[in-house]
């Protein structure tokens, strides 16, 4: 039986774990399999959808939310609250793409590079992302996202941009990744 996404309403295949349109976790339990049993293939939930398998949980208001995490020095996923991530400034949170839903990138300093180059502050390892794809830069007291001549372009709220002033909740798309900008 096909299933509808609770966030965007898209009709997905019954075997899908994530919405094909928006990337939200599709909450379903395969019939005949207890939810707390191990998953096939030994996969762990954090690698696929955030910390502790909490991606796609529901808040007390009944709205769908995505868990946020950071990767510590040892490479382990550490769950964090979005308030912790934005306590000292704005942040980007991966919303969909690359199996990294919920990963957060606090924005430090005056500029942050985004791209496929391993030394970028926001490293997005996929062929749809240029090596030096975009740059987050502070101008006065506001944050701007500048495209660095990327092949596939940089999008904010589904519009291709060269430079754009970011506001709370803006959806940034870089290659196959969708990220949300959170101001303090």
């Amino acid at each position: 039986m096909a299933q509808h996404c609770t966030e965007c309403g898209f009709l997905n295949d019954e075997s899908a774990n994530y919405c094909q349109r928006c990337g939200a976790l599709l909450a379903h339990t395969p019939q005949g399999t207890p939810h707390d049993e191990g998953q096939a293939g030994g996969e762990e939930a954090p690698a696929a959808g955030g910390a502790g398998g909490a991606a796609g949980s529901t808040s007390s208001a009944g709205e769908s939310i995505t868990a946020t995490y950071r990767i510590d020095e040892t490479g382990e996923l550490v769950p964090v609250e979005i308030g912790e991530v934005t306590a000292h400034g704005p942040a980007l949170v991966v919303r969909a793409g690359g199996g990294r839903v919920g990963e957060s990138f606090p924005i430090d300093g005056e500029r942050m590079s985004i791209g496929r180059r391993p030394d970028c502050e926001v490293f997005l390892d996929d062929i749809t992302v240029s090596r030096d794809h975009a740059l987050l830069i502070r101008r006065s007291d506001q944050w701007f996202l500048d495209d660095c001549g990327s092949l596939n372009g940089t999008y904010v709220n589904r519009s291709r941009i060269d430079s754009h002033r970011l506001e709370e909740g803006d959806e940034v798309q870089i290659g196959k990744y969708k990220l949300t900008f959170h101001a303090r």
Side-chain angles (χ1 to χ4, degrees):
M1 181 165 111
Q3 53 189 333
H4 288 275
C5 175
T6 57
E7 290 196 26
C8 72
F10 186 77
L11 186 62
N12 293 279
D13 293 335
E14 66 181 299
S15 62
N17 291 321
Y18 295 93
C19 178
Q20 294 172 343
R21 179 184 289 164
C22 72
L25 180 70
L26 299 173
H28 68 86
T29 303
Q31 292 183 349
T33 305
H35 184 67
D36 57 346
E37 292 294 320
Q39 298 176 0
E43 293 179 61
E44 293 182 6
S57 60
T58 306
S59 71
S60 59
E63 59 191 39
S64 180
I65 57 173
T66 301
T68 305
Y69 67 91
R70 66 178 173 78
I71 299 175
D72 70 7
E73 314 76 49
T74 64
E76 294 294 316
L77 303 178
V78 178
V80 293
E81 294 292 325
I82 191 67
E84 290 177 47
V85 176
T86 60
H88 302 292
L92 284 174
V93 177
V94 177
R95 176 89 176 104
R100 295 171 61 181
V101 173
E103 185 174 355
S104 57
F105 299 94
I107 301 172
D108 297 326
E110 297 295 313
R111 58 179 38 210
M112 279 180 70
S113 59
I114 303 171
R116 198 175 77 235
R117 186 180 308 278
D119 59 345
C120 287
E121 284 90 356
V122 180
F123 173 53
L124 302 174
D125 190 19
D126 187 75
I127 195 70
T128 61
V129 178
S130 296
R131 293 183 201 285
D132 296 305
H133 198 102
L135 185 66
L136 261 171
I137 188 164
R138 186 188 347 236
R139 295 185 182 118
S140 299
D141 61 344
Q142 303 192 343
W143 285 95
F144 286 79
L145 181 64
D146 294 347
D147 183 78
C148 296
S150 64
L151 182 62
N152 291 327
T154 301
Y155 295 80
V156 175
N157 299 326
R158 299 189 177 132
S159 296
R160 190 169 183 159
I161 59 106
D162 288 321
S163 182
H164 182 86
R165 182 176 57 86
L166 293 173
E167 297 178 8
E168 171 65 32
D170 277 348
E171 178 188 81
V172 174
Q173 183 168 353
I174 296 176
K176 72 176 186 180
Y177 294 91
K178 289 184 182 178
L179 304 101
T180 302
F181 175 78
H182 290 283
R184 233 193 290 198

